[in-house]
Amino acid sequence: MDRQFLIVSTICFFAAVVRTIVALRAGIFRPGQFNFLAIGLGFIFQTAFLSIRGHALGRCPLTNLFEVFIFVAWSVALIYMLVGPAYRLSLMGAFTAPLVVLLQGFALIAPIDIRHPVRLPANPWLEFHASISLVAYGAFALACIAGVMYLVQERQLKTHQLRSVFYHLPPLTDLFAAITRLLWWGFALYTLGLVSGFFVGQPLPYVQMVCASAVWLLYAAILQGRHLRRLAPKHVAALCIIGFTAALTLLWGITFTAQMPSPP
Amino acid sequence: MNLFCVGLSHHTANVETRERFAGHAETDCILRAAGCAEALLLTTCNRVEVYGASEERVSTDEIARCLVRKVDNKTEEYALPFYRYEDTRCVQHLFRVASGLDSMVVGESEILGQAKKAYESARASGAAGPCLHRLFQRAFHVAKQVRTHTDITRGSVSVGSVAVDLAQRIFGQLGNCKVLVLGAGETSERTARALVSRGVTDLRVSNRSSDRAEELARLVGGQAVRFDEWPSQCREIDILITSTSSETPLLTPENLSAMLRNRVDRPLFIIDIAVPRDVDPSVNEMEAVYLYDIDSLQSVAEQSLALRRQQIAAAEAIITEHVAAFGKSISHRLDCNAPPSTEDRALGETPLRTSES
């Protein structure tokens, strides 16, 4: 039953992607209300899925890679709903929907929804640690998307080839301001998640600690480079994309190792 | 009631002919005396058109006579350059005109304001009645819809406005931007004025002749800067407009990188409208520097025009839909005096405010 909600949610996000592609082909690149509505509906179904799964598990649904991917996709949609309209980045929806479709599509197709043989006990600190870290991933994902938008806009300005999309993307300085804010929000949430990991009452696996610290250091370095003005906006945008790709890969690694049976 | 449009435009007549038939203050009255129950004169630099409604057909020649500014002996030529559209084709033509599809620069929006002004004038004089009221209200609604749902007005099509548009695409609000105008030529002045009109308040002008710099600074509300001080200004500014008569480039990657040290996160937009160019083209390769010379600005203007032309089909589709709906609503009622339906009201038609006329 819960997977059906997820399928409907993926269809909603996919509809937003199709709409964008059709608009692009017609040369009318306009986000409009449809994208926001489709993403909003998709978000509602995502929330319904997580809620049902959470009730069934009796805890925050973050017990396997499948649930982690869906939670990241939900965080991306959540941050978009909060940030997109506020920063007038309505076009961000056109870039957000494909990422969510990829995450959810992969989660639905790949055989990664493996239930734990035993019911995992609820641990509020562990759940807080995991969920807040994944919401931070949502902010990093949006920073990555804003980074893609920045590079698209920058490339067109540099080459003097201005396509229809150029007139619908936000100004470069606004995009860079959004990237910076998203990075700071993501970093603050991730730090909170990392610190809360020390209170879970059980030792975290060494690999997880190393991977989580690597992600934290990577974003700290990007922010420091930005703060000290050592990095040009274009490089910050590119690093946001590289950073999120690396963070997602490490997240996979973390979750995968956490699912492996412990040595006797 | 027969709806018609008789006119001439840049497509059919040269400026001399358009001047000859530009109409005058009494044209509305003469048209009504000639048999038009309702009449509206739309005159712009590119077109002279009469929109009318009459029970009996009023000949094109008769309307041409009403439009002529000075009576001359060339009476036999009156109707020659005129086109005439009736009923559905008249409706379609007006919708195209109001949407900017029939304009010399496709998608320009000035025509909509001119059409509104012409309508207001005809309404105030009592020359426009219920038929033209409905027709024009619907035309304004269609024009708005075309502008909202297509990219027909996107992009700028003149060098000055392209420069300003690009500046807004880089910086967003221009209120906080610092601008340096290097060389006080005519194009620089136009571009500077366009930037000021979009909110720029900090504008500096530097020229070899300090008198000319001060004069331009006064004209655009900026401040004059000595010519030997412009390199130091480059550290602070966001937009540089350059049009000096220098034979060698004033800005090269070498001297600019020294000027821009420690300003990695602030973009610099350079508009080089000098020929020969004042800025070495390789400056565009520098981080966060966006260089546009006169050719690239022209190229962007042409891209915008091409983009607008691509949108014509989408705009025509919207117009066709509205022409059919308008024709249906008129034929349903068979009478322009009937009040507009709920659907018509939703599409922008309101009852004619006769009390104001």
Side-chain angles (χ1 to χ4, degrees), chain B residues 93-112:
Chain B
H93 178 71
L94 176 63
F95 289 1
R96 292 186 83 254
V97 168
S99 305
L101 297 192
D102 199 54
S103 298
M104 190 178 267
V105 177
V106 175
E108 59 95 9
S109 50
E110 209 180 332
I111 184 67
L112 182 59

Side-chain angles (χ1 to χ4, degrees), chain B residues 143-346:
Chain B
K144 192 178 165 195
Q145 199 172 343
V146 165
R147 286 162 66 176
T148 311
H149 294 283
T150 71
D151 278 345
I152 199 87
T153 56
R154 286 282 164 188
S156 302
V157 290
S158 71
V159 168
S161 52
V162 164
V164 177
D165 210 14
L166 287 170
Q168 285 187 313
R169 291 282 137 198
I170 297 170
F171 300 103
Q173 297 294 322
L174 298 181
N176 295 324
C177 286
K178 297 180 178 76
V179 180
L180 173 64
V181 179
L182 193 56
E186 200 183 318
T187 319
S188 295
E189 183 183 332
R190 273 207 301 272
T191 313
R193 279 181 190 279
L195 284 168
V196 169
S197 74
R198 303 273 183 106
V200 168
T201 50
D202 188 338
L203 198 134
R204 303 143 196 216
V205 183
S206 187
N207 194 53
R208 283 184 209 280
S209 146
S210 56
D211 290 349
R212 177 65 189 135
E214 276 164 22
E215 190 190 336
L216 179 57
R218 200 178 55 250
L219 284 171
V220 295
Q223 64 177 94
V225 172
R226 278 174 43 183
F227 193 71
D228 56 355
E229 283 178 6
W230 74 262
S232 61
Q233 296 285 325
C234 280
R235 291 179 216 284
E236 295 175 25
I237 55 156
D238 302 295
I239 301 170
L240 171 67
I241 305 165
T242 169
S243 67
T244 73
S245 51
S246 171
E247 289 298 320
T248 52
L250 294 174
L251 277 175
T252 60
E254 291 72 35
N255 64 10
L256 189 61
S257 56
M259 291 174 202
L260 301 185
R261 197 167 292 134
N262 296 329
R263 61 165 279 170
V264 71
D265 62 339
R266 270 174 53 217
L268 175 64
F269 178 37
I270 304 175
I271 305 158
D272 181 4
I273 39 188
V275 180
R277 287 175 289 183
D278 282 341
V279 186
D280 186 325
S282 55
V283 159
N284 192 45
E285 306 300 317
M286 291 174 69
E287 209 59 70
V289 177
Y290 304 96
L291 168 66
Y292 281 75
D293 60 26
I294 193 76
D295 275 2
S296 41
L297 290 171
Q298 195 62 50
S299 152
V300 171
E302 280 161 18
Q303 286 172 44
S304 300
L305 258 182
L307 185 69
R308 287 182 180 196
R309 287 195 197 103
Q310 282 174 15
Q311 301 298 309
I312 289 177
E316 294 280 16
I318 293 171
I319 288 171
T320 306
E321 205 176 290
H322 277 281
V323 169
F326 187 78
K328 205 170 149 191
S329 76
I330 288 286
S331 63
H332 251 280
R333 290 193 295 272
L334 296 169
D335 175 12
C336 287
N337 289 312
S341 64
T342 319
E343 186 197 353
D344 292 335
R345 281 175 205 270

